[in-house]
Amino acid sequence: MAIQSSSCIRNLVQSLRSSSFLSKIADYRGYTSQAASSLRVASQQSAYSDDEYADVDWDKLGFGLTPADYMYIMRCSKDENFKGGRLSRYGNIELSPSAGVLNYGQASSQNSIQGLYEGTKANRTKDGRILLFRPEQNATRMRHGAERMCMPSPSIEQFVDGVKETVFANKRWIPPPGKGSLYVRPLLLGSGPILGLAPAPEYTFLIYASPVRNYFKEGTAPLNLYIDEEFVRASPGGTGGVKAITNYAPVLKAIAKAKNRGFSDVLYLDAVNKKYLEEVSSCNIFIVKGNLISTPATNGTILEGVTRKSIIEIARDHGYQVTI
């Protein structure tokens, strides 16, 4: 079954992407980081001038990995707090073969490895400012996920500061206005070695970045979604409501099947009744009819998306009736 995206949702998303609206988003209890001077970082980390761009063909940029210069790392032991984060050149990290993230997971009804990730973006404006899109919301979501996975997590301030440092150190990788964004990927991993089934003894918080453009090759054009009645993304009591890294690998087979049939992605149904819409492989979904916008409730199997929350707030502000 093909489902195409609505023009009004596309307009709302476009408004989210505009620099003027990124500034206005603070009115929606959001968080906007502006201007290089407001980023509390050490600019000497970069040997490049503020107006210098990386050697990238911005017109051919897609959603693929193009590692920026620096990544951010912070560690802590179990039952302790994170501290002492630092920037280093992007590169491989060392893990024990018995690292908790590579071996075990904790969940009540499905396996989920001790690993979480987030995704946010930095954009460049025409007047030279750098804008972050509500990173404190990602920080809050990571803390919620860490509690579910029996992991310590950075404070909201530590998370946001780490994102700021990573963005500013990689400023030359932020595409020109209208050419894309710097995608910022925070990770929280159970990196300490452990043999038995238990929380890892050490944890690593890591942030890296890559310039990107649209996630889907269709760009802002309508997507064709395949409703899968065989595979489910998450089940009640599991970890579908947190951004655990193992929520994503199980959907790869369903995505491959859908793409082989000419679809853009998969729209999953609930695991119990197989008839209620839940979400797409990598994003939430909205159903639009006239002035009414509906989206599935986040009841433990659906991720509370930052963009989802923003669209709901903005849509209501624009006079739409939103039901959840």
Side-chain angles (χ1 to χ4, degrees):
M1 177 178 179
I3 297 181
Q4 294 190 331
S5 59
S6 165
S7 60
C8 79
I9 286 292
R10 292 203 303 275
N11 291 337
L12 287 172
V13 173
Q14 290 287 8
S15 72
L16 281 172
R17 292 170 177 165
S18 69
S19 60
S20 62
F21 215 97
L22 282 169
S23 297
K24 185 182 176 184
I25 199 69
D27 297 333
Y28 297 94
R29 304 180 300 280
Y31 181 101
T32 304
S33 299
Q34 301 177 350
S37 61
S38 72
L39 298 180
R40 188 169 58 83
V41 298
S43 60
Q44 64 268 25
Q45 290 289 343
S46 176
Y48 302 96
S49 63
D50 285 348
D51 59 353
E52 184 174 351
Y53 283 102
D55 185 16
V56 175
D57 187 342
W58 303 112
D59 292 322
K60 295 183 178 179
L61 191 63
F63 199 95
L65 179 63
T66 306
D69 296 319
Y70 293 95
M71 62 184 186
Y72 182 89
I73 298 178
M74 184 164 52
R75 293 186 173 90
C76 81
S77 298
K78 186 178 67 172
D79 300 325
E80 294 184 356
N81 296 321
F82 280 96
K83 59 184 178 180
R86 62 180 177 83
L87 288 168
S88 64
R89 297 290 298 190
Y90 178 89
N92 295 337
I93 60 173
E94 184 174 299
L95 284 176
S96 166
S98 59
V101 71
L102 301 179
N103 289 266
Y104 293 116
Q106 289 95 14
S108 58
S109 64
Q110 70 181 59
N111 289 330
S112 276
I113 292 171
Q114 277 197 305
L116 298 164
Y117 85 89
E118 284 294 331
T120 187
K121 292 180 179 179
N123 292 279
R124 190 189 299 268
T125 66
K126 292 181 179 179
D127 61 2
R129 293 178 299 156
I130 298 172
L131 304 182
L132 303 179
F133 185 70
R134 311 185 84 174
E136 89 293 346
Q137 299 287 328
N138 298 91
T140 299
R141 187 168 65 182
M142 177 170 278
R143 289 182 63 81
H144 171 68
E147 191 278 330
R148 172 67 178 84
M149 306 299 291
C150 299
M151 305 168 71
S153 64
S155 68
I156 293 176
E157 181 180 8
Q158 286 175 321
F159 182 104
V160 174
D161 283 349
V163 169
K164 288 181 180 180
E165 291 199 33
T166 305
V167 168
F168 195 61
N170 294 303
K171 184 178 178 182
R172 74 191 190 103
W173 294 92
I174 304 176
K179 299 289 186 178
S181 307
L182 183 69
Y183 181 81
V184 183
R185 170 63 63 85
L187 294 164
L188 182 60
L189 309 173
S191 52
I194 189 166
L195 185 61
L197 179 56
E202 181 185 86
Y203 295 86
T204 298
F205 176 63
L206 185 151
I207 308 173
Y208 68 91
S210 173
V212 299
R213 207 154 188 176
N214 294 312
Y215 181 81
F216 292 101
K217 65 179 182 180
E218 292 88 348
T220 57
L223 304 178
N224 289 322
L225 300 178
Y226 177 73
I227 297 181
D228 198 305
E229 297 178 287
E230 177 184 2
F231 298 103
V232 296
R233 178 190 169 273
S235 58
T239 57
V242 300
K243 209 167 177 65
I245 59 177
T246 48
N247 285 349
Y248 296 88
V251 305
L252 295 178
K253 187 170 184 179
I255 293 174
K257 183 175 73 171
K259 289 188 174 181
N260 286 337
R261 297 181 178 183
F263 292 91
S264 307
D265 207 332
V266 178
L267 175 56
Y268 297 91
L269 303 176
D270 71 292
V272 177
N273 300 292
K274 294 288 188 74
K275 66 178 182 179
Y276 299 110
L277 300 182
E278 292 223 320
E279 63 180 334
V280 185
S281 302
S282 57
C283 61
N284 299 120
I285 187 168
F286 292 82
I287 306 299
V288 182
K289 184 177 182 179
N291 198 51
L292 177 64
I293 300 177
S294 298
T295 187
T298 54
N299 54 10
T301 60
I302 297 173
L303 189 68
E304 296 189 15
V306 178
T307 303
R308 173 186 181 275
K309 178 180 180 180
S310 303
I311 288 179
I312 291 172
E313 293 170 351
I314 295 167
R316 286 173 173 165
D317 186 68
H318 281 244
Y320 289 94
Q321 180 184 351
V322 182
T323 62
I324 301 173

